Amino acid sequence: MRLLLAIGLALVLAPAASAACPSAADLEDELICPTCKTTLDQSDAPVARRIKAYVARRADDCASKQQIKDELVAQFGPSVLAAPPREGFHWLAWILPLAGLLAAAGVVSVLVWRWSRSRSVEAAADSNGRPPLDPELERRLDRELARYDR
């Protein structure tokens, strides 16, 4: 009975223990090769192969993703990270694209609003593409044409 309980407990806890250890593939798209400036999963440079082997070795030792990244940053500098850190001056890399998108959305909305307002004048034009006549001028024209209908 105790043996079955121990086996059941081991089966339940085994996935949780293995989930805590990252795999090398998890980190290869988050790190950049220092020589060719592509992610490790795309690079086949000698330095990239050495970094991949280092990451695989550290992942087998069950080091966390952050520990592995910190060790590589200490050796190669912050340019080894695919995404800039979210601190200090590096926040601009995260904020500026969002600000640009918001500004572009604002400009497009103003242009669409102006375009829709100019369409109301064009929609009121007759089939010749000319704006409608002044009401007073239209009454006068109707009177003149009515004289010739008699």
Side-chain angles (χ1 to χ4, degrees):
M1 180 71 165
R2 285 187 176 188
L3 180 62
L4 288 175
L5 184 62
I7 291 173
L9 190 60
L11 288 175
V12 169
L13 295 178
S18 66
C21 297
S23 68
D26 291 341
L27 282 167
E28 286 182 0
D29 62 341
E30 297 178 16
L31 297 170
I32 292 181
C33 173
T35 56
C36 60
K37 304 297 184 208
T38 60
T39 57
L40 290 181
D41 57 352
Q42 297 174 348
S43 178
D44 196 33
V47 173
R49 286 193 300 254
R50 286 196 301 268
I51 293 174
K52 286 179 190 180
Y54 175 77
V55 168
R57 193 170 50 251
R58 292 295 290 144
D60 288 342
D61 293 341
C62 205
S64 70
K65 287 172 87 172
Q66 192 59 46
Q67 286 174 330
I68 297 170
K69 286 181 182 181
D70 290 342
E71 292 165 1
L72 289 171
V73 166
Q75 185 174 358
F76 295 103
S79 63
V80 78
L81 299 174
R86 293 180 179 157
E87 58 186 25
F89 185 71
H90 299 288
W91 270 107
L92 286 178
W94 294 97
I95 293 174
L96 287 180
L98 295 175
L101 284 173
L102 289 175
V107 167
V108 167
S109 64
V110 166
L111 291 175
V112 166
W113 180 80
R114 290 183 69 191
W115 175 74
S116 69
R117 296 295 168 232
S118 68
R119 298 276 302 171
S120 63
V121 172
E122 293 174 13
D126 63 4
S127 62
N128 292 329
R130 296 185 181 133
L133 293 175
D134 179 43
E136 175 60 34
L137 184 60
E138 191 170 359
R139 280 193 296 276
R140 188 172 152 205
L141 181 62
D142 286 340
R143 277 190 310 228
E144 293 293 325
L145 289 174
R147 265 188 356 179
Y148 291 105
D149 286 339
R150 293 183 204 172

